[in-house]
Amino acid sequence: MDHESWIADGTVLLDYADHIATLTLNRPESSNGMNIAMMRAIHEAVMRCHGDPRVRVVHLRGAGPNFCSGGDVREFASKGEALGDFLRTVTAYLQIAVGALIRLNAVVVSEVQGYAAGGGGLGLICASDIVVATKSARFMAGATRVGMAPDGGASVILPRLVGFRRAAEIVLTNRVVGAEEALAIGLINSVVPDEDLVRDARHLALKLASNAPRATAAAKRLLWSGIGLSVESCLPEEARTVAELSATADAREGLAAVLEKRAPVFTGD
């Protein structure tokens, strides 16, 4: 096995072996909550995969008990009234990474344990080609509960995956979707016992990496195009909406409520 460590430390790790690039979100102490450093690192890692023709599969995973809890609430809350300007940059990095994952010739296989929430968690899942999750995995949109809007491409892709009515309910109620339901509605591809996740995701990645690379890349491109996903054309409006809402008093209240573990009181300001 020809193993190379492309990014050995930091908020994202990237390793290569057997035509598979394993991209690991590496902030387990924060449930892989996305701060700006992590979003930059994800973009760098995805572009590294894009630039190496040996990569046939990108295996996306999160270190620790959770895949990704979404944005780093503490970092966002610390920006106060400057949050809107800050999130313009944050959202731009996330959307570039999402667009790059979709455009990769490589198949993106994600393994999910714990929570996949917010634009980071749910957005990355939506942008993946195949998703394997544990029985205990949980999915949540999460944005409107803190006075914001869905990002990471989820506002565009989620309705195509699960249907408009179901997507509207998931986004607007912010309820938690369990793994079995996620499988039933088409959000993920398979559910495995918790102890089998790493093994099964790796086996799937190896199987996909053994396929004809040009045919696989072409099939992926046709699948994304064939269901009418003009994702990238919709991302600027999604980003504008996220930045606009994050500049509101309700967004600051929503973040504070999460940190203080209380119900938010929204005023419409």
Side-chain angles (χ1 to χ4, degrees):
M1 182 173 68
D2 183 21
H3 178 267
E4 301 174 21
S5 182
W6 287 351
I7 302 176
D9 57 52
T11 59
V12 166
L13 307 178
L14 188 63
D15 295 282
Y16 171 82
D18 300 327
H19 299 293
I20 300 168
T22 301
L23 195 166
T24 304
L25 308 179
N26 191 40
R27 297 188 71 218
E29 72 287 352
S30 301
S31 297
N32 295 314
M34 288 193 177
N35 60 9
I36 196 164
M38 175 181 271
M39 292 188 189
R40 286 172 175 155
I42 292 171
H43 176 234
E44 176 187 346
V46 173
M47 295 313 293
R48 177 70 185 267
C49 297
H50 181 72
D52 194 316
R54 295 177 297 169
V55 177
R56 300 179 185 178
V57 175
V58 171
H59 179 185
L60 180 59
R61 57 188 303 275
N66 293 292
F67 172 73
C68 177
S69 61
D72 187 325
V73 174
R74 292 189 183 279
E75 181 175 73
F76 291 0
S78 71
K79 301 302 175 182
E81 294 187 6
L83 180 62
D85 292 334
F86 176 72
L87 278 188
R88 285 187 180 89
T89 302
V90 170
T91 302
Y93 276 112
L94 179 58
Q95 290 188 340
I96 291 170
V98 164
L101 285 171
I102 292 170
R103 291 194 310 274
L104 279 175
N105 286 332
V107 179
V108 179
V109 175
S110 289
E111 65 173 60
V112 181
Q113 79 284 1
Y115 271 91
L122 189 60
L124 289 176
I125 294 307
C126 286
S128 301
D129 299 306
I130 299 178
V131 182
V132 181
T134 65
K135 290 182 178 180
S136 60
R138 298 291 182 266
F139 304 84
M140 185 174 69
T144 60
R145 74 172 183 147
V146 292
M148 298 189 197
D151 59 350
S155 68
V156 188
I157 305 172
L158 184 63
R160 308 302 208 282
L161 294 176
V162 306
F164 174 81
R165 299 295 183 196
R166 190 170 281 117
E169 183 212 358
I170 291 170
V171 169
L172 298 176
T173 68
N174 293 300
R175 70 177 180 85
V176 174
V177 177
E180 294 293 347
E181 182 186 357
L183 175 64
I185 65 178
L187 180 58
I188 63 176
N189 295 87
S190 60
V191 177
V192 301
D194 290 25
E195 63 272 18
D196 295 341
L197 177 64
V198 175
R199 183 199 66 189
D200 287 8
R202 180 68 181 178
H203 284 179
L204 176 59
L206 286 167
K207 180 179 180 180
L208 290 165
S210 70
N211 291 344
R214 292 181 65 180
T216 299
K220 170 177 172 170
R221 183 179 66 251
L222 290 170
L223 285 167
W224 277 100
S225 300
I227 57 175
L229 283 183
S230 54
V231 176
E232 289 180 272
S233 66
C234 298
L235 291 181
E237 174 61 17
E238 186 186 74
R240 186 198 66 76
T241 303
V242 171
E244 179 182 280
L245 288 175
S246 64
T248 64
D250 273 354
R252 294 192 294 276
E253 163 64 10
L255 292 170
V258 170
L259 292 175
E260 296 165 12
K261 295 180 172 57
R262 60 173 174 80
V265 179
F266 295 127
T267 63
D269 296 328

